[in-house]
Amino acid sequence: MNILIVEDEKLAVRKLTKLLEESAPEFVIQGITPSIEATVEWILENRESGNPEPDIIFLDIELADGQSFEIFNRVEIRSTVIFTTSYDEYALQAFKVNSIDYLLKPVQQEDLQRSIKKFYDLTGSQRKSEIPALPANLENILKNLQLQQPATDYRKRFLVKQGARMLSVEISEIAYFYIDDGVSFFKNLQGQKFVVDYRMDEMELFLDPDRFFRINRGLIVTHQSVTQIQPYYNNRLALTLKPTFDKESIVSREKTNDFKKWMGK
C-alpha cells in the first residue's frame, strides 16, 4: 500500500510515520509534502512519471499556504483520503456524513488502527475503482463545519493574565490575534500584548467571522486593525496593521478573494 503524507509540522510527520511503521508495516510512504503547492506539484509529477497513485493520502486540513481543500480544486484526487486535524470532534461530524475518516491531532495509535481497518473493510468489500475517495461536494463539508458553530457561542471576552492579576478583555478591544514561536497572543487597540491559551484553529471556531478574518496560518485580523492593503507577489495581499505588527501580514492566495469580500462588508 502506497501512502502520501501532507503535513507541514515536522513533529507530526515523525509521529505519524512511526505509528504507521508500528500499525501497518506493509504501507510504503511514497512522499511527504508540506503545502498545497507542493502537494499539487507532487501529484502531477508522480502521475506524469507513470507511478501508481497513493492508496491513501493522510491530509492535514490547515497548511502553511491555506486549507487543503484547495488541493481538490486544482487537481483530481484518485486516492482514499484520511484527514488529520486539530478541529474538535463535534465539528467533524460533517466528514463522517460524507464517509471520510479523520484523525484528531495528536494522532493516537488506536485511532490510526481504526482508520486503517476502515480502509481495509472498504477495499475488501468493493473493487478499488469503486471506492468513493472523496465526497460528492467539498463545499458542503465547509458549510457543515461552519454550521457546527452557532452564532450564540461566539466569544464576547477573554480572561488573560496581566502581571499577578487577571484581566477580562472585551472582544471589541482586540485588534488581532497572532502566533509567535508557537504561542498564541493578541494585541488590544492600545498595543498591549497578551497570551491566549488557545490554538489558532480553536479561536477561529469561536470568533465571529463578521468581525474576525484569518488571513493565514498565524494571523487573525479585525477590520479596524487593517490600515493599508497592497498587492503582493503570487496574487497575495500585504497588510499594514495597527497597532504595529513587527512581522509580515500577508493574506494567503487562497484567501485573497474572501478577504476582499469580508473587508467590503
Side-chain angles (χ1 to χ4, degrees):
M1 295 293 178
N2 295 316
I3 304 298
L4 172 63
I5 297 175
V6 181
E7 171 62 68
D8 60 353
E9 297 178 6
K10 292 182 180 180
L11 183 60
V13 171
R14 288 199 296 269
K15 180 169 183 179
L16 181 56
T17 300
K18 183 175 184 297
L19 290 175
L20 284 169
E21 290 173 351
E22 296 171 352
S23 300
E26 71 276 18
F27 285 6
V28 176
I29 298 176
Q30 279 184 295
I32 299 171
T33 56
S35 66
I36 294 169
E37 292 288 342
T39 302
V40 171
E41 182 179 343
W42 187 96
I43 291 171
L44 292 176
E45 289 182 354
N46 185 68
R47 199 165 287 167
E48 290 172 0
S49 300
N51 296 323
E53 299 283 336
D55 293 284
I56 302 176
I57 299 177
F58 288 93
L59 184 60
D60 187 17
I61 291 178
E62 290 290 342
L63 298 171
D65 54 349
Q67 289 191 329
S68 59
F69 299 111
E70 176 64 19
I71 294 170
F72 307 120
N73 295 328
R74 296 175 56 182
V75 66
E76 179 188 1
I77 301 297
R78 303 169 185 170
S79 308
T80 298
V81 174
I82 297 175
F83 286 105
T84 60
T85 177
S86 298
Y87 281 102
D88 290 337
E89 185 173 351
Y90 78 88
L92 281 153
Q93 297 305 313
F95 292 108
K96 288 189 172 182
V97 169
N98 288 281
S99 299
I100 289 183
D101 209 353
Y102 70 93
L103 295 170
L104 193 64
K105 291 182 180 180
V107 176
Q108 303 300 317
Q109 190 168 43
E110 58 271 23
D111 296 328
L112 177 60
Q113 290 171 342
R114 178 206 69 212
S115 295
I116 292 172
K117 181 180 184 301
K118 181 175 180 179
F119 173 77
Y120 277 127
D121 287 345
L122 286 170
T123 54
S125 59
Q126 305 178 58
R127 296 197 308 274
K128 183 173 176 54
S129 60
E130 295 176 342
I131 298 171
L134 299 171
N137 188 341
L138 287 164
E139 290 184 4
N140 286 339
I141 290 181
L142 293 172
K143 290 178 181 177
N144 286 336
L145 281 173
Q146 293 170 350
L147 289 174
Q148 299 297 322
Q149 178 65 39
T152 54
D153 283 349
Y154 293 141
R155 291 292 293 266
K156 297 180 176 60
R157 61 191 63 84
F158 282 86
L159 187 64
V160 295
K161 291 186 66 175
Q162 187 181 55
R165 68 190 184 103
M166 303 296 290
L167 179 67
S168 180
V169 180
E170 297 290 326
I171 281 290
S172 60
E173 289 296 312
I174 296 175
Y176 50 81
F177 295 85
Y178 64 98
I179 294 289
D180 189 9
D181 289 332
V183 180
S184 299
F185 296 89
F186 72 74
K187 277 190 178 182
N188 64 12
L189 300 178
Q190 290 73 44
Q192 294 174 296
K193 172 180 172 181
F194 300 93
V195 175
V196 190
D197 292 329
Y198 297 98
R199 301 188 303 271
M200 296 293 278
D201 288 344
E202 293 174 322
M203 287 191 288
E204 190 176 18
L205 286 173
F206 51 62
L207 291 173
D208 185 349
D210 286 338
R211 181 187 292 267
F212 295 92
F213 190 94
R214 187 174 184 179
I215 64 169
N216 57 43
R217 187 176 178 84
L219 185 57
I220 298 175
V221 302
T222 59
H223 294 92
Q224 58 192 354
S225 69
V226 180
T227 62
Q228 192 173 38
I229 304 172
Q230 294 181 316
Y232 198 70
Y233 78 92
N234 201 17
N235 295 319
R236 295 181 292 173
L237 299 172
L239 309 183
T240 301
L241 302 181
K242 66 172 184 181
T244 303
F245 187 59
D246 57 6
K247 297 182 180 180
E248 285 189 323
S249 309
I250 307 299
V251 182
S252 65
R253 186 175 64 179
E254 293 75 18
K255 297 190 176 186
T256 296
N257 288 336
D258 288 340
F259 174 77
K260 290 178 180 178
K261 292 177 184 177
W262 176 79
M263 281 297 296
K265 285 184 178 180

